[in-house]
Amino acid sequence: MEKVTFGDASIPGYECGDKSAPAVVVLQEWWGCNETIKRQALKLHTDGGFRVIVPDLYKGELGVDAEEAHHLMTNLDWPNAKAELVECARYLKATGSPKVGVVGFCMGGALTLGALAASDDIVAGAPFYGVNFGLFDAKTLKKPVQGHFGALDTMEGFSDPAT
């Protein structure tokens, strides 16, 4: 994956794939833009032929343990992160991708739904657990979503079945 910047060169990330291919924005867990997330993005590229981008929402910082990851996630400017994801999708469309989807894991799952609701350039989303954080009104989301949640998840308000 190649390091890139977009959005007036102020938002860092990693990208690979043919610019004319449909794109997928891959969103990090609370750990940050680590090798695990980059591997997930590469798998989408290799197996699906997608152009992929992983925006680095922590700007190079990584959670090395749960305490640090929690600190990074708690201090994330959520509205700004959502705005950066809108800019990310705009960048992908402007540079050649005909369609843009978004997928995210845990914290990235919540951001997946927020970005999907906020961006006219994102056509579908697949969150792997994690919801909302007040990023959108679920009743107004009309785009395709393939949600992945655990029936026995006990993280109330974030990924439990009732939420």
Side-chain angles (χ1 to χ4, degrees), residues 67-160:
E67 182 179 346
E68 179 63 16
H70 183 265
H71 174 75
L72 289 167
M73 183 180 77
T74 302
N75 288 315
L76 181 65
D77 180 341
W78 291 87
N80 185 64
K82 182 172 70 171
E84 288 182 350
L85 298 176
V86 169
E87 186 61 33
C88 181
R90 186 176 298 129
Y91 158 79
L92 291 165
K93 289 278 295 205
T95 56
S97 290
K99 291 186 178 182
V100 178
V102 61
V103 62
F105 306 90
C106 197
M107 178 188 88
L111 286 164
T112 292
L113 295 170
L116 183 60
S119 174
D120 291 337
D121 293 318
I122 301 174
V123 298
F128 283 80
Y129 50 96
V131 296
N132 210 322
F133 288 121
L135 295 173
F136 73 103
D137 179 359
K139 294 176 186 136
T140 64
L141 186 58
K142 304 294 183 205
K143 297 176 187 173
V145 174
Q146 182 179 13
H148 299 267
F149 300 90
L152 302 178
D153 198 325
T154 60
M155 294 185 71
E156 190 172 326
F158 183 69
S159 60
D160 62 293

